[in-house]
Amino acid sequence: MHGLMQYHPLLVSSLLKHAARYHGNTEIVSKRVEGDIHRYTYAEAERRTKRLVRALQRLGVKESDRVATLAWNGYRHFEIYYAASGMGAVVHTVNPRLHESDISYIINHAGSTPVFADITFAPLIEKIAPGLAGQVRDYVFMSDEANMPPLELPGGVRVHCYESLVAESVEDYEWPLLDEGSASGLCYTSGTTGRPKGVVYSHRSTVLHAYAVSTADAFGLRAIDRVMPIVPMFHVNAWGVPYAAPLNGAAIVFPGRHLDGASLASLFNAERVTMALGVPTVWMGLLQHMQRTGERLETKPRILTGGSACPPMLLETFTKEYGLKVCHAWGMTEISPVGTCDAPKPAHLGESPEAEMRRKLKQGRALAGIDLKIVSDAGEELPWDGKAFGDLKVRGSWVASGYFGGQPGSALDEEGWFTTGDVCTIDPEGYMQITDRSKDVVKSGGEWISSIQLENIAVSHPDVAEAAVIAARHPKWDERPLLILLPKPGHTVNPQAVLKVYEGKVSKWWLPDAVVVVAEMPHTATGKLQKSVLRERYRDYLTSGGCS
Ligand code: AMP
């Protein structure tokens, strides 16, 4: 027997429609690339978004076409998200921090026709446009006529001004009913191994993810919140905030391009931000700024950290010295991205502050709609005892089932589980803790050593800014941990003093065999430590007598 309930497809446009109708006066604030602050409301955002759809139609964009963006977090980017998806096309966010050859590859592979760009990316567009000349017809600069950049582009390519396109359009558009399974967004993985791969989000997966991250134990968003997505809209939809905020009627504060501690702290206070999301690198920058200047975050916002492991020192200082509530989340491009968050369960009520810290350093438990398991090398499921660690697999309604254009590496096994590439433990309460990326784990004499655990201990030393542990080749044990350290500005690191910090914290055989102090650490375009570069450089460090 079928249920007798109405059927309304889960569509991205319904989120903006809801916010415009029920939270029409709620603000969207943007720090613009032009330098000033822009404010308007959800009601105005929907009206301009409808005009933008008309402009896209004039540019020849049709259903399923990909509309590329190269942009920071701001209200115009938000409008493109909804205009492209809402009309049945696909918003294709491109990470401008990638190498230009990867950016060209991604736009070309996706077959995106118009490219929308912030004016700061004009030099980048000049570089990539010749290679995309046969494909990209239109470049739209996201500003007004007065700020249009001077450009030299190949013949046949049209350049438009965003504000003029919007001004020349009417807002008579009605959001169409689409198949909820149709594509709404496209984002390429960071491509730390091989070429980036395209993940295609659907309307259904995006809306379900927005509901799931809104729950109290995840982002816990409310209409009285003022949420600042510091995570970029150009990578995995700023963790779904552009969808979850309208769903809840929360105000949004878009920080634009300046994400240093001073710029962020002033925006937090001026805009009374109550919740913000970012990667640990951003939080470390903010913390260092606050420690240097004595500035504090007056609204005591909730801080959501994810994207890479939360350094214990960050959690401790934010919580104990600044009174901030820190939540730790984990996810991936292929998971829309959020899979787990670390909110407590009844078993944790009354836990000691130390136990709470230990729990919060775990990546957390699955959101409803996501299922997790860990398996051994042989593919057997491992127990949830908080000790056994194995390859993490996930499945759920907002997990990728393949890649755009059938790129290889879909990694779904025969039971439909997606292999994440993360190595984890899961404790009896279901809290997952990442011990490594599968390619980063150190396999010493057949036993696994967690590089993340060793890195976390090293950064607790006051002279250390950043630490990386890689597997260096070893004649007897195959691999041994090598610790690579970046000192804090103005500090000198004494390797022996750092090694002393490990005493009593890990088994002796986990101790790094050697320490290398470097002047710079390599990072990926999404701000993650690029261990592949370090491995390349230092893999033979132990066998070559300490020379790289
Ligand atoms: P991306 O697809 O670029 O978002 O990267 C996903 C990967 O980032 C995951 O597979 C993890 O290895 C890593 N990651 C994300 N969140 C966390 C976290 N909270 N702690 C540790 N690693 C994380």
Short mmCIF file of all heavy atoms in Angstrom, two decimals, residues 157-197:
data_model
loop_
_atom_site.label_atom_id
_atom_site.label_comp_id
_atom_site.label_asym_id
_atom_site.label_seq_id
_atom_site.Cartn_x
_atom_site.Cartn_y
_atom_site.Cartn_z
N VAL A 157 35.24 35.37 -27.88
CA VAL A 157 34.82 35.17 -26.49
C VAL A 157 34.12 36.44 -26.02
O VAL A 157 34.59 37.54 -26.28
CB VAL A 157 36.08 34.88 -25.63
CG1 VAL A 157 35.76 35.02 -24.15
CG2 VAL A 157 36.60 33.49 -25.93
N ARG A 158 32.98 36.27 -25.33
CA ARG A 158 32.24 37.46 -24.86
C ARG A 158 32.51 37.69 -23.39
O ARG A 158 32.56 36.74 -22.60
CB ARG A 158 30.74 37.25 -25.08
CG ARG A 158 30.37 37.17 -26.57
CD ARG A 158 28.90 36.93 -26.77
NE ARG A 158 28.49 35.61 -26.29
CZ ARG A 158 27.30 35.07 -26.53
NH1 ARG A 158 26.39 35.73 -27.21
NH2 ARG A 158 27.00 33.86 -26.07
N VAL A 159 32.65 38.97 -23.03
CA VAL A 159 32.87 39.33 -21.63
C VAL A 159 31.65 40.13 -21.17
O VAL A 159 31.19 41.03 -21.88
CB VAL A 159 34.15 40.17 -21.47
CG1 VAL A 159 34.30 40.64 -20.02
CG2 VAL A 159 35.36 39.36 -21.87
N HIS A 160 31.12 39.79 -20.00
CA HIS A 160 29.93 40.46 -19.49
C HIS A 160 30.18 41.00 -18.09
O HIS A 160 31.01 40.49 -17.36
CB HIS A 160 28.74 39.49 -19.40
CG HIS A 160 28.50 38.72 -20.65
ND1 HIS A 160 27.61 39.12 -21.62
CD2 HIS A 160 29.05 37.56 -21.09
CE1 HIS A 160 27.60 38.24 -22.60
NE2 HIS A 160 28.47 37.27 -22.31
N CYS A 161 29.36 41.98 -17.75
CA CYS A 161 29.38 42.52 -16.39
C CYS A 161 28.14 41.98 -15.66
O CYS A 161 27.01 42.12 -16.13
CB CYS A 161 29.34 44.04 -16.46
SG CYS A 161 28.92 44.79 -14.88
N TYR A 162 28.39 41.34 -14.53
CA TYR A 162 27.32 40.66 -13.77
C TYR A 162 26.17 41.61 -13.46
O TYR A 162 25.00 41.32 -13.71
CB TYR A 162 27.93 40.10 -12.49
CG TYR A 162 27.01 39.26 -11.64
CD1 TYR A 162 27.03 37.88 -11.73
CD2 TYR A 162 26.14 39.84 -10.72
CE1 TYR A 162 26.21 37.10 -10.93
CE2 TYR A 162 25.31 39.07 -9.93
CZ TYR A 162 25.36 37.70 -10.03
OH TYR A 162 24.53 36.92 -9.26
N GLU A 163 26.51 42.77 -12.90
CA GLU A 163 25.44 43.69 -12.47
C GLU A 163 24.63 44.19 -13.66
O GLU A 163 23.42 44.38 -13.54
CB GLU A 163 26.03 44.86 -11.67
CG GLU A 163 26.49 44.47 -10.28
CD GLU A 163 25.40 43.81 -9.42
OE1 GLU A 163 24.21 44.15 -9.55
OE2 GLU A 163 25.76 42.93 -8.62
N SER A 164 25.25 44.36 -14.81
CA SER A 164 24.50 44.81 -15.98
C SER A 164 23.57 43.69 -16.44
O SER A 164 22.40 43.94 -16.77
CB SER A 164 25.43 45.20 -17.12
OG SER A 164 26.30 46.19 -16.66
N LEU A 165 24.07 42.45 -16.42
CA LEU A 165 23.20 41.31 -16.83
C LEU A 165 21.97 41.25 -15.94
O LEU A 165 20.84 41.04 -16.41
CB LEU A 165 23.96 39.98 -16.70
CG LEU A 165 24.98 39.62 -17.77
CD1 LEU A 165 25.57 38.25 -17.47
CD2 LEU A 165 24.34 39.61 -19.16
N VAL A 166 22.17 41.43 -14.63
CA VAL A 166 21.05 41.35 -13.69
C VAL A 166 20.10 42.54 -13.91
O VAL A 166 18.88 42.38 -13.97
CB VAL A 166 21.56 41.31 -12.22
CG1 VAL A 166 20.42 41.46 -11.22
CG2 VAL A 166 22.30 40.00 -11.97
N ALA A 167 20.69 43.73 -14.09
CA ALA A 167 19.86 44.93 -14.25
C ALA A 167 19.01 44.87 -15.52
O ALA A 167 17.88 45.37 -15.55
CB ALA A 167 20.75 46.17 -14.27
N GLU A 168 19.56 44.23 -16.55
CA GLU A 168 18.83 44.18 -17.84
C GLU A 168 17.76 43.10 -17.85
O GLU A 168 17.08 42.92 -18.86
CB GLU A 168 19.83 43.88 -18.97
CG GLU A 168 20.75 45.05 -19.30
CD GLU A 168 22.07 44.59 -19.93
OE1 GLU A 168 22.19 43.40 -20.31
OE2 GLU A 168 22.99 45.44 -20.00
N SER A 169 17.59 42.36 -16.76
CA SER A 169 16.63 41.24 -16.75
C SER A 169 15.41 41.57 -15.90
O SER A 169 15.47 42.44 -15.04
CB SER A 169 17.29 39.99 -16.16
OG SER A 169 18.47 39.71 -16.84
N VAL A 170 14.34 40.82 -16.15
CA VAL A 170 13.15 41.01 -15.32
C VAL A 170 13.02 39.81 -14.37
O VAL A 170 13.60 38.75 -14.61
CB VAL A 170 11.86 41.12 -16.18
CG1 VAL A 170 11.77 42.48 -16.81
CG2 VAL A 170 11.80 40.02 -17.20
N GLU A 171 12.24 40.01 -13.28
CA GLU A 171 12.18 38.94 -12.27
C GLU A 171 10.87 38.17 -12.36
O GLU A 171 10.30 37.78 -11.34
CB GLU A 171 12.37 39.55 -10.88
CG GLU A 171 11.35 40.61 -10.53
CD GLU A 171 11.75 41.38 -9.27
OE1 GLU A 171 12.85 41.93 -9.23
OE2 GLU A 171 10.92 41.42 -8.35
N ASP A 172 10.40 37.91 -13.60
CA ASP A 172 9.11 37.27 -13.77
C ASP A 172 9.20 35.75 -13.66
O ASP A 172 8.25 35.05 -13.94
CB ASP A 172 8.56 37.64 -15.15
CG ASP A 172 9.49 37.16 -16.27
OD1 ASP A 172 10.64 36.79 -15.96
OD2 ASP A 172 9.06 37.13 -17.43
N TYR A 173 10.33 35.22 -13.26
CA TYR A 173 10.59 33.79 -13.36
C TYR A 173 9.89 33.00 -12.25
O TYR A 173 9.81 33.45 -11.11
CB TYR A 173 12.10 33.58 -13.27
CG TYR A 173 12.55 32.18 -13.59
CD1 TYR A 173 12.52 31.71 -14.90
CD2 TYR A 173 13.00 31.34 -12.58
CE1 TYR A 173 12.94 30.42 -15.19
CE2 TYR A 173 13.43 30.05 -12.87
CZ TYR A 173 13.39 29.60 -14.17
OH TYR A 173 13.81 28.32 -14.46
N GLU A 174 9.34 31.82 -12.60
CA GLU A 174 8.79 30.90 -11.59
C GLU A 174 9.69 29.67 -11.54
O GLU A 174 10.03 29.11 -12.58
CB GLU A 174 7.37 30.45 -11.99
CG GLU A 174 6.31 31.53 -11.87
CD GLU A 174 6.12 32.02 -10.42
OE1 GLU A 174 6.28 31.22 -9.50
OE2 GLU A 174 5.87 33.24 -10.27
N TRP A 175 10.05 29.24 -10.34
CA TRP A 175 10.94 28.07 -10.23
C TRP A 175 10.26 26.84 -10.82
O TRP A 175 9.13 26.52 -10.45
CB TRP A 175 11.30 27.81 -8.76
CG TRP A 175 12.06 28.94 -8.15
CD1 TRP A 175 11.64 29.75 -7.14
CD2 TRP A 175 13.35 29.41 -8.51
NE1 TRP A 175 12.59 30.70 -6.85
CE2 TRP A 175 13.66 30.51 -7.69
CE3 TRP A 175 14.29 29.01 -9.47
CZ2 TRP A 175 14.86 31.21 -7.78
CZ3 TRP A 175 15.48 29.71 -9.55
CH2 TRP A 175 15.76 30.78 -8.72
N PRO A 176 10.93 26.14 -11.73
CA PRO A 176 10.29 24.98 -12.36
C PRO A 176 10.31 23.74 -11.47
O PRO A 176 11.16 23.62 -10.59
CB PRO A 176 11.14 24.75 -13.60
CG PRO A 176 12.50 25.27 -13.23
CD PRO A 176 12.27 26.39 -12.26
N LEU A 177 9.38 22.83 -11.72
CA LEU A 177 9.41 21.53 -11.04
C LEU A 177 10.38 20.65 -11.81
O LEU A 177 10.22 20.43 -13.00
CB LEU A 177 8.03 20.89 -11.07
CG LEU A 177 7.06 21.30 -9.98
CD1 LEU A 177 5.80 20.45 -10.04
CD2 LEU A 177 7.71 21.17 -8.59
N LEU A 178 11.41 20.17 -11.13
CA LEU A 178 12.43 19.34 -11.77
C LEU A 178 12.39 17.96 -11.14
O LEU A 178 11.80 17.77 -10.06
CB LEU A 178 13.82 19.93 -11.54
CG LEU A 178 14.03 21.40 -11.93
CD1 LEU A 178 15.33 21.92 -11.32
CD2 LEU A 178 14.06 21.53 -13.45
N ASP A 179 13.04 17.03 -11.76
CA ASP A 179 13.23 15.71 -11.17
C ASP A 179 14.23 15.88 -10.01
O ASP A 179 15.33 16.41 -10.23
CB ASP A 179 13.78 14.78 -12.26
CG ASP A 179 14.19 13.42 -11.73
OD1 ASP A 179 14.09 13.19 -10.51
OD2 ASP A 179 14.61 12.59 -12.55
N GLU A 180 13.86 15.44 -8.82
CA GLU A 180 14.76 15.66 -7.68
C GLU A 180 16.08 14.89 -7.81
O GLU A 180 17.04 15.19 -7.12
CB GLU A 180 14.07 15.31 -6.35
CG GLU A 180 13.71 13.84 -6.20
CD GLU A 180 13.11 13.51 -4.82
OE1 GLU A 180 12.65 14.41 -4.13
OE2 GLU A 180 13.12 12.31 -4.49
N GLY A 181 16.10 13.92 -8.69
CA GLY A 181 17.34 13.17 -8.91
C GLY A 181 18.28 13.88 -9.88
O GLY A 181 19.42 13.44 -10.10
N SER A 182 17.83 14.98 -10.49
CA SER A 182 18.70 15.63 -11.48
C SER A 182 19.84 16.37 -10.78
O SER A 182 19.75 16.72 -9.60
CB SER A 182 17.89 16.54 -12.40
OG SER A 182 17.21 17.50 -11.64
N ALA A 183 20.90 16.61 -11.56
CA ALA A 183 22.11 17.20 -10.99
C ALA A 183 21.87 18.66 -10.63
O ALA A 183 21.23 19.40 -11.37
CB ALA A 183 23.25 17.10 -12.00
N SER A 184 22.40 19.07 -9.46
CA SER A 184 22.29 20.48 -9.07
C SER A 184 23.67 21.13 -8.99
O SER A 184 23.82 22.32 -9.21
CB SER A 184 21.60 20.61 -7.71
OG SER A 184 22.36 19.95 -6.72
N GLY A 185 24.69 20.34 -8.65
CA GLY A 185 26.02 20.91 -8.47
C GLY A 185 27.11 19.94 -8.89
O GLY A 185 26.89 18.72 -8.98
N LEU A 186 28.28 20.50 -9.15
CA LEU A 186 29.43 19.69 -9.56
C LEU A 186 30.67 20.26 -8.90
O LEU A 186 30.90 21.47 -8.96
CB LEU A 186 29.56 19.75 -11.10
CG LEU A 186 30.78 19.13 -11.75
CD1 LEU A 186 30.83 17.63 -11.48
CD2 LEU A 186 30.73 19.35 -13.27
N CYS A 187 31.42 19.40 -8.23
CA CYS A 187 32.66 19.86 -7.58
C CYS A 187 33.72 18.78 -7.76
O CYS A 187 33.44 17.59 -7.58
CB CYS A 187 32.39 20.10 -6.08
SG CYS A 187 33.87 20.53 -5.15
N TYR A 188 34.92 19.20 -8.13
CA TYR A 188 36.00 18.23 -8.34
C TYR A 188 36.79 18.02 -7.05
O TYR A 188 36.97 18.95 -6.27
CB TYR A 188 36.91 18.70 -9.49
CG TYR A 188 36.30 18.40 -10.85
CD1 TYR A 188 35.14 19.06 -11.27
CD2 TYR A 188 36.82 17.42 -11.69
CE1 TYR A 188 34.54 18.77 -12.49
CE2 TYR A 188 36.25 17.13 -12.91
CZ TYR A 188 35.11 17.80 -13.31
OH TYR A 188 34.52 17.50 -14.51
N THR A 189 37.25 16.78 -6.86
CA THR A 189 38.06 16.47 -5.68
C THR A 189 39.40 17.21 -5.80
O THR A 189 39.76 17.66 -6.90
CB THR A 189 38.35 14.96 -5.60
OG1 THR A 189 39.02 14.58 -6.81
CG2 THR A 189 37.08 14.14 -5.48
N SER A 190 40.13 17.28 -4.68
CA SER A 190 41.37 18.05 -4.70
C SER A 190 42.45 17.40 -5.55
O SER A 190 43.43 18.05 -5.89
CB SER A 190 41.91 18.23 -3.28
OG SER A 190 40.87 18.50 -2.42
N GLY A 191 42.28 16.13 -5.86
CA GLY A 191 43.21 15.48 -6.78
C GLY A 191 44.62 15.34 -6.23
O GLY A 191 45.58 15.62 -6.94
N THR A 192 44.74 14.92 -4.95
CA THR A 192 46.08 14.72 -4.40
C THR A 192 46.73 13.50 -5.05
O THR A 192 47.94 13.38 -5.10
CB THR A 192 46.05 14.54 -2.86
OG1 THR A 192 44.94 13.74 -2.54
CG2 THR A 192 45.98 15.86 -2.14
N THR A 193 45.90 12.58 -5.56
CA THR A 193 46.44 11.48 -6.35
C THR A 193 45.76 11.51 -7.70
O THR A 193 44.54 11.41 -7.79
CB THR A 193 46.14 10.10 -5.70
OG1 THR A 193 44.76 10.09 -5.36
CG2 THR A 193 46.98 9.88 -4.46
N GLY A 194 46.51 11.69 -8.75
CA GLY A 194 45.95 11.69 -10.11
C GLY A 194 45.14 12.93 -10.39
O GLY A 194 45.18 13.90 -9.63
N ARG A 195 44.38 12.92 -11.46
CA ARG A 195 43.58 14.06 -11.88
C ARG A 195 42.37 14.24 -10.96
O ARG A 195 41.83 13.27 -10.44
CB ARG A 195 43.07 13.82 -13.31
CG ARG A 195 44.10 14.09 -14.38
CD ARG A 195 44.45 15.55 -14.42
NE ARG A 195 45.05 15.92 -15.70
CZ ARG A 195 45.52 17.14 -15.95
NH1 ARG A 195 45.46 18.08 -15.03
NH2 ARG A 195 46.04 17.42 -17.12
N PRO A 196 41.92 15.50 -10.76
CA PRO A 196 40.71 15.71 -9.97
C PRO A 196 39.52 14.98 -10.60
O PRO A 196 39.46 14.84 -11.81
CB PRO A 196 40.50 17.22 -10.05
CG PRO A 196 41.80 17.79 -10.49
CD PRO A 196 42.51 16.73 -11.27
N LYS A 197 38.61 14.52 -9.74
CA LYS A 197 37.44 13.78 -10.25
C LYS A 197 36.17 14.55 -9.89
O LYS A 197 36.06 15.11 -8.80
CB LYS A 197 37.41 12.38 -9.64
CG LYS A 197 38.60 11.54 -10.05
CD LYS A 197 38.44 10.08 -9.69
CE LYS A 197 38.75 9.78 -8.24
NZ LYS A 197 40.16 9.69 -7.90
#
